[in-house]
Amino acid sequence: MNERLRGSVVLAIVGVIAAAFHARWGIVLSIIEKAVSSSQQGLPFLGVGLGYRRELHASIYAHKQSIDWLEVISEHYTQGPPERMATGCHLARDFVVIPHGVEMSIGTEGEVDSGYLNGLSTFVNAIHPPWFSDHLCFTRAGGISLGTLTPLNRTRAVARAVAAKAQRVQELIGVPFILENIARQFTMNTELSEAEFICEFLEHCDCGLLLDLTNVYINSVNYSEDALRFLDSIPSDRVVQIHLAGGKTSPHGLIDSHSSPVPGEVWELLDYLLRAGAEPKGLMIERDQDYPEDFDEILTDLNRARNILAAAMTSN
Amino acid sequence: MGLQAAIAHVLVDDELRRQLVTQPEKIQSQFVLSAEEMRLLCSSNPSHLDRMSHGIRAKRLDFLEKGLPCTVRAIGRQVLVEFARLTIPRTEAEEQGRVLAEARRFMAFVQNLPNARLPVYLRDLGEFELNRLELGSMIAAPSPATSQALSDESVVCLVRHVRICKFQFDVVALTESEDVSIGAPPAGSTAVLLRKDPVRGIVETYRIGESVYAAFSLCTTPRRLSDLYLSIAPLDTDAESRRSRLFESVRCALEKGILTRETA
């Protein structure tokens, strides 16, 4: 029995005993159901955060009270000289810091690189994040380092293999691990849809989902997919964190460039998801290029996320 | 091999992408793909693969620009495009991060280009920036460190936080220039001492004179400067002039804080 199930069963048993004691058998089933699906509930609620980039350092510290937490790119701190890790630790003294990897390449056939995991483990142990994240994709294969998030062959077998590997990574690091859906730059006629693949993956591990709503939107535009149907299809109780960003338009479609304010369509998806009952522990604005001269542009996105979250919590 | 390897190679190799359309059986045979894997690969839109391939190259050039900013500005766009097209981003070079990996690949690439295709100072400038980048990344000195012919008379001398380099051209002026690609290159050999501040992690560049360069260039194997200092401190001042210069150079460097004594 995995950790998630074990914890959930304990919760369910406690609930069942309490309900039975009060002879309220009608709610026993719902308690069991809720407990089994609430593996993410032990995680703290972080609020609305921002992706840390060196270019934004001064503005982040100048508006510290408006930023609930930071997400950092893991590899910026785990690769290279040790003082980089010290920089990450310095940030963690002032903010809750979530490490977000781009090069674990969990989807690559075979095991995850042990040197990579050692570096990540050291960093996680140094900053004590409530969870850490990476992407549901591969970035390396056949001796090639693509350096970009590449879609997987979406089959049940691949979903289960990646789930087993993610579970091992989570157990090794000792902190909840969540994985992010990517903006696909190409697509193949695979056995499963993306939503089906994510469901299959989540069903076979205890990891959470980092739902990038901008990627959902971009895929829906570039491949004529139904974004709302996608959101309806994934288990919303497994959504731990949400990414929000703005992309750019090219002659070939939308690009996930994190270079502009979050577009209206993505805000609508957030509103839809939250009103449908998702209870993420953290929302985050990503901005990686074309940094605005006026940091208010980013603060506006942070506040809008906060308002949508508050409105959904009130109405739910 | 398999599907993932095929995807990765197809994405970085123009010829393989062409073959995927014109001779898919070659791809199937090269990567030992099943019929189902081949069906999947062929189901991808070729223009999407092209687009992703261009995105990968653009990203590589972004990393290169971060590592060797002046070198990239100084070189023609065509050379950069060729670099991204003709070199393969192998995984083994990535352990210190993408920026350093691309910088090293690029310097290896330009070593094989005809001189006529490069500004005369380009190799010097690239090696200068690469040395700074490597020092910043705390890459251990090659052991034993050897005199490397960067330009004809360049020498790299390494200790833990320090490198001494000599270049045919004034690389410091080149990197300080607003636009390195315009105007005649600053002439004259330039020796620099690169020192990484072990606390702040910042690499500082010091121009050094001939005597300092001569002193430190004696140190052709990686060794602690403190050892060097202690070994020459008792020297009789009447000893040969070169040793005297060495002593004076190290003493001055220590006094000015360019170098620090390291305890074992």
Side-chain angles (χ1 to χ4, degrees):
Chain A
M1 189 185 292
N2 66 31
E3 285 299 319
R4 174 190 172 216
L5 207 49
R6 198 178 300 137
S8 302
V9 166
V10 170
L11 275 176
I13 290 169
V14 170
V16 168
I17 292 169
F21 184 76
H22 293 285
R24 293 160 74 177
W25 295 102
I27 60 169
V28 168
L29 193 61
S30 68
I31 289 171
I32 294 172
E33 209 170 72
K34 184 149 184 154
V36 168
S37 66
S38 65
S39 67
Q40 323 302 341
Q41 289 192 352
L43 296 175
F45 177 73
L46 299 187
V48 182
L50 178 65
Y52 175 81
R53 301 294 178 269
R54 268 181 299 183
E55 293 84 345
L56 298 174
H57 182 90
S59 299
I60 286 172
Y61 271 84
H63 299 89
K64 200 176 159 196
Q65 73 288 351
S66 303
I67 301 164
D68 298 332
W69 57 280
L70 296 176
E71 182 187 86
V72 298
I73 300 297
S74 310
E75 291 80 5
H76 290 179
Y77 304 90
T78 59
Q79 293 176 340
E83 63 266 16
R84 287 195 198 152
M85 197 171 287
T87 311
C89 295
H90 184 78
L91 283 176
R93 285 202 294 270
D94 298 322
F95 293 91
V96 172
V97 170
I98 303 289
H100 179 58
V102 293
E103 290 184 34
M104 182 185 289
S105 198
I106 190 127
T108 299
E109 288 158 13
E111 286 304 314
V112 177
D113 179 71
S114 60
Y116 179 93
L117 289 177
N118 287 340
L120 180 61
S121 177
T122 304
F123 187 45
V124 165
N125 287 332
I127 66 168
H128 306 294
W131 66 80
F132 69 102
S133 60
D134 207 291
H135 297 83
L136 204 46
C137 70
F138 74 98
T139 61
R140 288 188 298 277
I144 305 285
S145 179
L146 291 168
T148 196
L149 311 173
T150 310
L152 292 165
N153 176 14
R154 297 189 306 253
T155 66
R156 290 192 193 286
V158 170
R160 290 173 188 184
V162 176
K165 213 186 305 183
Q167 188 70 41
R168 286 195 292 277
V169 169
Q170 178 173 264
E171 284 162 10
L172 180 80
I173 303 293
V175 171
F177 182 26
I178 65 175
L179 285 118
E180 178 182 354
N181 58 304
I182 64 168
R184 305 190 306 276
Q185 297 184 66
F186 73 93
T187 195
M188 299 181 289
N189 291 334
T190 51
E191 176 190 329
L192 303 178
S193 70
E194 187 175 14
E196 288 169 335
F197 183 79
I198 289 171
C199 291
E200 187 74 12
F201 165 77
L202 291 173
E203 204 167 296
H204 288 85
C205 68
D206 184 27
C207 300
L209 181 63
L210 166 47
L211 182 61
D212 189 315
L213 287 176
T214 303
N215 290 349
V216 173
Y217 170 62
I218 287 173
N219 288 337
S220 76
V221 172
N222 289 350
Y223 302 108
S224 303
E225 295 170 352
D226 185 337
L228 297 184
R229 192 172 163 199
F230 177 93
L231 295 182
D232 289 339
S233 307
I234 57 169
S236 60
D237 62 309
R238 302 290 291 277
V239 177
V240 173
Q241 187 189 322
I242 290 175
H243 270 176
L244 303 158
K248 63 183 175 190
T249 307
S250 80
H252 309 288
L254 296 180
I255 298 173
D256 180 31
S257 55
H258 303 172
S259 57
S260 58
V262 179
E265 295 88 341
V266 174
W267 290 122
E268 285 169 17
L269 292 180
L270 175 65
D271 188 54
Y272 180 86
L273 183 78
L274 296 178
R275 286 181 190 281
E279 296 178 354
K281 304 300 179 186
L283 274 60
M284 202 210 84
I285 305 295
E286 295 182 289
R287 190 67 179 258
D288 294 346
Q289 43 182 310
D290 297 347
Y291 299 105
E293 283 182 19
D294 188 349
F295 194 69
D296 276 354
E297 186 177 307
I298 289 174
L299 292 176
T300 301
D301 273 354
L302 287 164
N303 288 333
R304 188 161 179 184
R306 210 167 267 128
N307 291 339
I308 292 174
L309 186 62
M313 285 168 87
T314 307
S315 70
N316 289 344
Chain B
M1 299 306 271
L3 181 61
Q4 281 192 346
I7 291 171
H9 281 264
V10 159
L11 283 171
V12 297
D13 189 324
D14 291 350
E15 180 54 31
L16 288 179
R17 277 201 309 290
R18 266 192 294 275
Q19 278 184 10
L20 186 61
V21 176
T22 58
Q23 297 170 293
E25 65 283 355
K26 274 195 171 179
I27 302 282
Q28 183 168 17
S29 152
Q30 182 177 343
F31 294 97
V32 199
L33 300 179
S34 67
E36 170 60 10
E37 288 172 326
M38 204 55 210
R39 181 194 69 75
L40 279 168
L41 189 56
C42 290
S43 74
S44 56
N45 184 325
S47 68
H48 291 176
L49 293 177
D50 279 340
R51 194 176 65 208
M52 186 165 174
S53 171
H54 295 149
I56 289 168
R57 287 176 190 168
K59 214 169 186 178
R60 290 184 60 198
L61 293 180
D62 283 346
F63 283 120
L64 181 64
E65 193 171 4
K66 277 184 189 157
L68 309 177
C70 296
T71 309
V72 165
R73 283 207 306 276
I75 206 163
R77 178 79 195 156
Q78 187 55 35
V79 173
L80 294 174
V81 170
E82 272 180 42
F83 161 70
R85 186 167 61 83
L86 298 176
T87 60
I88 301 290
R90 305 260 174 220
T91 49
E92 61 268 26
E94 303 289 335
E95 68 278 0
Q96 291 290 334
R98 302 272 297 171
V99 172
L100 186 54
E102 293 300 351
R104 284 174 164 166
R105 274 190 205 110
F106 182 74
M107 288 314 296
F109 176 75
V110 296
Q111 295 304 339
N112 295 321
L113 288 180
N115 287 339
R117 295 201 58 197
L118 302 171
V120 286
Y121 54 84
L122 194 280
R123 291 192 181 95
D124 267 12
L125 182 58
E127 288 295 346
F128 173 61
E129 289 195 303
L130 182 58
N131 268 285
R132 285 183 55 92
L133 189 62
E134 287 183 336
L135 196 58
S137 303
M138 285 260 289
I139 304 302
S143 186
T146 53
S147 299
Q148 298 174 14
L150 303 179
S151 302
D152 287 339
E153 13 170 22
S154 297
V155 172
V156 177
C157 164
L158 302 144
V159 289
R160 188 156 174 253
H161 292 301
V162 175
R163 287 187 180 194
I164 309 285
C165 316
K166 192 174 181 186
F167 301 97
Q168 276 183 308
F169 297 97
D170 188 345
V171 288
V172 180
L174 281 166
T175 53
E176 288 169 352
S177 164
E178 283 292 311
D179 188 342
V180 292
S181 62
I182 295 174
S189 74
T190 301
V192 294
L193 181 149
L194 304 175
R195 174 182 179 265
K196 180 179 181 179
D197 183 321
V199 178
R200 294 181 299 151
I202 296 168
V203 177
E204 297 156 335
T205 303
Y206 299 90
R207 285 177 184 276
I208 53 176
E210 282 300 317
S211 64
V212 177
Y213 176 76
F216 288 115
S217 62
L218 291 175
C219 180
T220 54
T221 56
R223 55 186 296 189
R224 289 175 180 276
L225 280 168
S226 54
D227 294 343
L228 177 65
Y229 178 75
L230 291 173
S231 70
I232 60 174
L235 289 179
D236 187 341
T237 49
D238 293 323
E240 64 181 79
S241 62
R242 200 161 76 163
R243 289 192 172 190
S244 173
R245 284 207 313 273
L246 173 62
F247 173 79
E248 282 305 310
S249 300
V250 174
R251 189 181 60 76
C252 287
L254 286 167
E255 278 179 6
K256 289 177 181 173
I258 293 172
L259 303 175
T260 49
R261 289 179 196 238
E262 293 175 343
T263 51

